[in-house]
């Protein structure tokens, strides 16, 4: 492995430490190297805080002069909540900047690189660009479309069931699998479920990790405003957003409003349900960059049918439930032909105790 890639891997590792905390900004890592020695490192820790390059420059001090800066995303050249990073890089006397990927944000998108070149700083781009884009896949989609990145997670048995015929589902997946699920919640801005899941399971939809339990926004897709006022998702109403239609009974809508929960009211779609494309656009307007969908099967199908799912995490446990009435992860009408199936690309398979995790991206 050449030196540029080695130092960029370090920068990517640093960037990953900011995942879940920087939204709606990207996760970025930076490494300063001089005479073959790392003299400063940093990563973007929270939205509104200093960028990765600033942390690295401050750590290096005078050693930044004539050093090479490795950064996972193009340095910004505009003033937002913080001053432009390019100015600090130039003032510090950095000799060369190696960038993994350009910033797709229209406010940046090549301008940062151009500013560095104008200051006679050597710039190299495209080092581990695909890895950097994958790390910030949610940011890339959000900043270019205004719509959040949607990940679907499910746990099912070997025969494709997410519950028994009586609705029992705890626990299909192993403890390690469930911990991974909580980490997914930790890294996403919002978690989305349908009203059927709320009525059947009364989930809390919180993040339960020993070291950090940051909870995502809870989004409940509830066309007819049927969420019980005693539901666990309303225990912390300020972290809950209910999506209903204008056809929902007014008394139920007002009762839910009175809990203090947020509420999005949209005209019903052709099927009488919450129009999911419009809901996602509204979440984007609220700077929600990533959504983790945890069911149920009706919501999963509707999102897939509308072409709104980007990524899947499916756990398969070594159990079999049987039963024609036992639900599967994706319900709805389904496809008529094999050729109509949703195809998964870039598939990765891993093990969590006895469970198998299949991860991949929906082929658009």
């Amino acid at each position: 492995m050449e030196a540029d890639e080695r130092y960029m891997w370090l920068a990517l590792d640093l960037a990953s430490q900011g995942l879940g905390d920087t939204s709606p900004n990207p996760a970025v890592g930076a490494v300063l190297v001089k005479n073959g020695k790392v003299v400063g490192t940093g990563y973007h820790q929270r939205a509104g805080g200093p960028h990765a390059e600033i942390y690295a420059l401050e750590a290096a001090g005078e050693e930044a002069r004539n050093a090479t800066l490795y950064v996972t995303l193009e340095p910004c050249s505009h003033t937002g909540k913080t001053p432009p990073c390019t100015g600090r890089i130039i003032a510090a006397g950095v000799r060369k900047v190696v960038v993994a990927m350009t910033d797709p944000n229209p406010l940046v998108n090549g301008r940062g690189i151009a500013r560095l070149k104008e200051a006679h700083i050597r710039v190299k781009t495209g080092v581990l660009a695909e890895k950097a884009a994958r790390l910030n896949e949610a940011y890339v989609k959000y900043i270019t479309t205004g719509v959040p990145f949607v990940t679907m997670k499910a746990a099912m048995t070997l025969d494709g069931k997410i519950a028994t015929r009586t609705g029992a589902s705890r626990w299909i997946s192993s403890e390690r699998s469930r911990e991974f699920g909580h980490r997914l919640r930790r890294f996403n801005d919002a978690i989305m479920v349908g009203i059927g899941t709320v009525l059947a399971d009364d989930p809390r939809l919180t993040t339960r990790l020993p070291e950090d339990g940051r909870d995502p926004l809870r989004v409940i897709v509830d066309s007819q405003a049927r969420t019980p006022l005693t539901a666990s998702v309303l225990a912390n109403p300020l972290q809950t957003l209910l999506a209903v239609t204008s056809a929902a009974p007014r008394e139920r809508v007002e009762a839910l409003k009175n809990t203090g929960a947020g509420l999005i009211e949209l005209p019903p779609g052709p099927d009488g349900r919450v129009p999911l494309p419009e809901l996602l656009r509204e979440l984007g307007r609220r700077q929600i960059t990533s959504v983790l969908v945890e069911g149920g099967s009706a919501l999963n199908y509707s999102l897939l049918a509308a072409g709104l799912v980007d990524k899947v995490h499916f756990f398969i446990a070594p159990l079999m439930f049987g039963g024609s009435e036992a639900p599967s992860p994706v319900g709805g009408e389904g496809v008529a032909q094999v050729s109509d199936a949703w195809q998964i690309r870039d598939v990765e398979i891993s093990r969590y105790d006895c469970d198998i995790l299949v991860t991949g991206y929906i082929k658009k």
Side-chain angles (χ1 to χ4, degrees), residues 23 30 38 54 69 84 86 97 119 126 143 146 170 185 192 205 228 258 264 314 320 322 338-339:
S23 181
V38 174
I54 305 306
L69 172 66
T86 51
V97 177
I143 207 66
R170 296 183 181 177
R185 292 181 180 182
M192 180 185 290
L205 303 182
N258 291 336
I264 295 176
F314 272 40
M320 290 189 287
V338 173
S339 58

Side-chain angles (χ1 to χ4, degrees), residues 23-83:
S23 181
N25 293 348
V28 182
V31 175
L32 273 163
V33 178
K34 187 174 184 179
N35 299 325
K37 178 183 176 183
V38 174
V39 295
T41 62
Y43 69 95
H44 187 36
Q45 299 179 16
R46 61 179 178 82
H51 290 186
E53 301 95 316
I54 305 306
Y55 280 117
L57 289 169
E58 290 178 348
E62 286 300 315
E63 288 295 302
R65 187 162 300 278
N66 294 318
T68 297
L69 172 66
Y70 293 85
V71 62
T72 58
L73 190 71
E74 175 185 6
C76 65
S77 57
H78 67 289
T79 299
K81 292 183 178 179
T82 59

Side-chain angles (χ1 to χ4, degrees), residues 185-260:
R185 292 181 180 182
R186 170 71 177 79
F187 293 144
N188 280 269
D189 292 344
I191 179 171
M192 180 185 290
V193 299
I195 181 60
T197 297
V198 172
L199 296 175
D201 299 336
D202 191 27
R204 287 180 285 171
L205 303 182
T206 54
T207 300
R208 297 183 289 281
L209 293 171
E211 71 278 10
D212 184 2
R214 186 191 71 87
D215 292 332
L217 176 70
R218 294 181 286 272
V219 180
I220 313 302
V221 183
D222 183 6
S223 301
Q224 293 299 310
R226 293 188 292 152
T227 299
L229 300 182
T230 57
S232 295
V233 293
L234 294 175
N236 183 0
L238 297 180
Q239 275 292 102
T240 301
L241 185 63
L242 299 152
V244 304
T245 69
S246 54
R250 297 315 305 171
E251 66 275 11
R252 291 209 292 256
V253 173
E254 293 303 320
L256 289 172
K257 279 184 181 178
N258 291 336
T259 66

Side-chain angles (χ1 to χ4, degrees), residues 105-129:
N105 186 341
L107 294 174
V108 186
N109 200 8
R111 292 180 176 87
I113 291 172
R115 179 70 186 94
L116 294 173
K117 289 181 176 179
E118 288 169 3
H120 306 292
I121 294 175
R122 294 168 55 200
V123 179
K124 180 179 180 180
T125 61
V127 177
L128 300 182

